[in-house]
Amino acid sequence: MNAPRLLLVEDDPALAELLEFRFRQQGYAVTVTPDGDEALLLAAEEAPDLVVLDWMIEGTSGLEVCRRLRKGKATAHVPIVMLTARGAEDDKIRGLETGADDYVTKPFSPRELIARVGAIMRRIRPALAGEVVEVGDLSLDATAHKVTRRGQTIVLGPTEFRLLKHFMEHPGRVFSRGQLLDAVWGSESEIELRTVDVHIRRLRKGIEVDGATDPVRTVRSAGYALEAV
Amino acid sequence: MNAPRLLLVEDDPALAELLEFRFRQQGYAVTVTPDGDEALLLAAEEAPDLVVLDWMIEGTSGLEVCRRLRKGKATAHVPIVMLTARGAEDDKIRGLETGADDYVTKPFSPRELIARVGAIMRRIRPALAGEVVEVGDLSLDATAHKVTRRGQTIVLGPTEFRLLKHFMEHPGRVFSRGQLLDAVWGSESEIELRTVDVHIRRLRKGIEVDGATDPVRTVRSAGYALEAV
DNA sequence: AGGTTTTGTGACACATTCGTGACTGTCTGT
DNA sequence: ACAGACAGTCACGAATGTGTCACAAAACCT
């Protein structure tokens, strides 16, 4: 239950629905909003793995949303794919300058967009494509389902593995117990919040090696975060 | 909680009710008044984060309210969004000169107004969008729940953290003890006013580093403020 | 200066939150 | 059916934070 999360900012309801459907088919967890301002909030709250951003939207313009995403610490490195009207060369240039990673010109086939998104996802977020993520002295290989720390191989249970993976995809960020349940267990799970504590403990115990400090930080009355040590 | 506070000055009851409802939906704490004079009082008392101000209202005119808000020390930099009748170009110009931050022309869709308000709110309170806020030598990262001063990491209790966050979102501004209780503890809390003093002390002690001066200013018989040193 | 109001501070009892070990139930493969 | 791994829950103690008070110190006002 660790689908890549995608935030779709599109104010044409028909197009939004179509794309949402197709992306879900591809295994993405999709959040849709027609509004630029809401997009910024959602991006900060939900920590999506990728943003698909229409240029012409209500509220704050696509350009501005893009710029602000880049400025926000938590969202600075989230890849952005822009959707531009045909021939708006100017937008493309300004978009790429502002930090968009790719653009698709309307009209486009959903298949094309999905392909581009897939490509970027693979390029930018190696863990999702099965390559290796490293945070501090930890290293996680999603395909091989393997974790190493200072060269030592570490074995984790499935839940601990997903938990660590989620942390490593957002290093330094504090997640509430509820957010962790959503991200690691799935959003409809009805699990006791305190259960997260137990798995955190198991994760801590699991990644313990000789004289290394615990990279999992407890933030009292807020949640947990993984520190890059 | 820490909901952004909004003061709505609008004398058309139907519109006022609609907007109040929509803003509440968006998570704002809304206060409504149809009257310009009362608006000035409320602005001083409740320290809203933003004022939505209709141009044609009872009592003191919108223009005058705007001017007085700017003149009032506590309310000088509260962002103001004006609502003007269509085509009253003159009003717009005078409004912006007087210090309004944005204007919306009637008739408008609630969505548009909400989007504008959201944009301004995010500009004013960047921590809401997950950005790092800096004031003087202090730096606060809401996402990572981390505070630094001159490079040194600082650990704060939950309440001190929220208190500092609130101060850093409104640097230089003086808050009464009651306002701080509303903003940091939540508006229904029934806490002793003097308790704020104690937390101010704990915050001061917490952010103390070697030879740096105390950025928390006591304003006798008024409250506290965070100074940008 | 003397009296009054307001703020700083240390102490303390109480609450909340977190870590931890133990327990049960489920599922899998043999 | 059995063993073993794993997940979820609970209860208890430890650690930490919270709100209030009483008194000291400081600021203010005649």
Side-chain angles (χ1 to χ4, degrees):
Chain A
M1 215 54 49
N2 198 353
R5 270 190 299 276
L6 188 147
L7 174 62
L8 173 60
V9 191
E10 169 59 64
D11 61 351
D12 172 356
L15 182 56
E17 194 181 349
L18 169 65
L19 290 179
E20 179 181 4
F21 176 70
R22 299 299 291 289
F23 275 120
R24 282 200 198 283
Q25 255 184 342
Q26 294 290 313
Y28 294 95
V30 188
T31 310
V32 192
T33 174
D35 180 273
D37 293 299
E38 205 179 321
L40 287 166
L41 278 186
L42 288 170
E45 272 166 22
E46 303 201 347
D49 296 299
L50 188 140
V51 178
V52 175
L53 179 61
D54 191 354
W55 213 234
M56 297 295 295
I57 47 174
E58 298 172 27
T60 309
S61 80
L63 180 70
E64 183 62 18
V65 171
C66 188
R67 199 193 325 266
R68 296 199 64 97
L69 283 174
R70 283 290 172 259
K71 253 179 69 186
K73 180 163 184 278
T75 55
H77 307 294
V78 179
I80 299 172
V81 178
M82 352 175 323
L83 309 178
T84 68
R86 181 211 297 279
E89 282 302 325
D90 213 38
D91 285 354
K92 284 184 197 168
I93 292 164
R94 282 194 295 161
L96 292 176
E97 275 175 355
T98 316
D101 293 85
D102 200 356
Y103 57 86
V104 177
T105 310
K106 289 184 188 179
F108 55 87
S109 73
R111 179 186 295 279
E112 181 188 354
L113 177 58
I114 285 168
R116 302 259 196 148
V117 166
I120 288 188
M121 205 68 107
R122 242 166 282 119
R123 193 173 83 228
I124 308 274
R125 303 214 53 106
L128 297 172
E131 288 166 35
V132 179
V133 211
E134 308 211 348
V135 173
D137 55 5
L138 278 163
S139 151
L140 181 145
D141 183 334
T143 19
H145 243 255
K146 256 188 175 172
V147 180
T148 8
R149 189 173 190 196
R150 303 192 173 177
Q152 288 191 42
T153 300
I154 293 202
V155 277
L156 294 175
T159 309
E160 281 79 69
F161 184 85
R162 290 203 306 277
L163 187 56
L164 178 61
K165 182 167 166 235
H166 184 254
F167 274 130
M168 291 184 70
E169 281 163 359
H170 310 277
R173 175 164 181 157
V174 176
F175 294 97
S176 71
R177 292 176 175 74
Q179 288 174 324
L180 289 173
L181 280 182
D182 280 4
V184 177
W185 277 259
S187 45
E188 324 86 357
S189 72
E190 299 198 355
I191 306 282
E192 214 45 56
L193 282 179
R194 290 297 311 272
T195 299
V196 174
D197 297 32
V198 179
H199 283 276
I200 288 282
R201 176 178 154 280
R202 288 170 182 162
L203 173 59
R204 276 178 167 147
K205 186 154 270 183
I207 61 178
E208 208 169 56
V209 299
D210 61 11
T213 57
D214 178 12
V216 180
R217 179 167 60 110
T218 304
V219 182
R220 192 166 227 256
S221 78
Y224 298 95
L226 182 72
E227 296 293 288
V229 269
Chain B
M1 227 51 75
N2 200 353
R5 269 192 300 276
L6 189 147
L7 175 61
L8 173 60
V9 191
E10 169 59 64
D11 61 351
D12 172 356
L15 182 57
E17 194 181 349
L18 169 65
L19 290 179
E20 179 181 3
F21 175 70
R22 298 300 289 300
F23 276 120
R24 282 199 200 283
Q25 252 184 344
Q26 295 288 313
Y28 294 95
V30 188
T31 311
V32 192
T33 174
D35 179 89
D37 295 303
E38 203 179 322
L40 286 167
L41 278 186
L42 288 169
E45 272 167 22
E46 304 203 347
D49 294 299
L50 188 140
V51 178
V52 175
L53 179 61
D54 192 353
W55 213 233
M56 297 295 295
I57 47 174
E58 300 169 24
T60 311
S61 82
L63 180 70
E64 184 60 19
V65 171
C66 188
R67 199 192 327 265
R68 300 259 298 266
L69 282 174
R70 283 290 172 260
K71 257 177 68 184
K73 188 153 182 289
T75 55
H77 44 291
V78 179
I80 300 172
V81 177
M82 355 174 322
L83 308 179
T84 69
R86 182 212 296 278
E89 282 301 327
D90 213 37
D91 285 354
K92 284 184 197 168
I93 292 163
R94 282 194 294 161
L96 292 176
E97 274 174 355
T98 316
D101 293 84
D102 200 355
Y103 57 86
V104 177
T105 311
K106 290 184 188 180
F108 55 87
S109 74
R111 181 186 288 280
E112 181 187 355
L113 177 58
I114 285 169
R116 301 261 194 147
V117 166
I120 290 185
M121 204 64 105
R122 215 160 299 105
R123 202 169 73 224
I124 305 287
R125 301 184 55 177
L128 285 180
E131 292 173 16
V132 177
V133 197
E134 309 212 347
V135 173
D137 54 5
L138 279 164
S139 152
L140 181 145
D141 183 336
T143 310
H145 249 258
K146 258 190 171 167
V147 180
T148 356
R149 189 172 190 196
R150 303 194 173 177
Q152 285 191 45
T153 300
I154 297 216
V155 278
L156 294 175
T159 309
E160 283 81 46
F161 184 85
R162 291 202 305 276
L163 187 55
L164 178 62
K165 181 168 165 233
H166 184 253
F167 274 129
M168 291 184 71
E169 280 164 353
H170 310 278
R173 175 161 177 173
V174 179
F175 294 96
S176 72
R177 292 176 175 73
Q179 290 174 332
L180 289 173
L181 280 182
D182 280 5
V184 177
W185 277 259
S187 43
E188 330 84 357
S189 72
E190 300 197 355
I191 306 281
E192 209 53 49
L193 280 180
R194 290 298 312 274
T195 300
V196 174
D197 296 31
V198 179
H199 282 276
I200 288 282
R201 175 179 152 278
R202 286 169 183 163
L203 174 59
R204 278 177 165 148
K205 184 155 272 181
I207 61 178
E208 210 168 54
V209 298
D210 61 11
T213 57
D214 177 11
V216 180
R217 182 167 56 107
T218 304
V219 183
R220 187 162 231 259
S221 75
Y224 298 94
L226 182 72
E227 296 293 290
V229 270

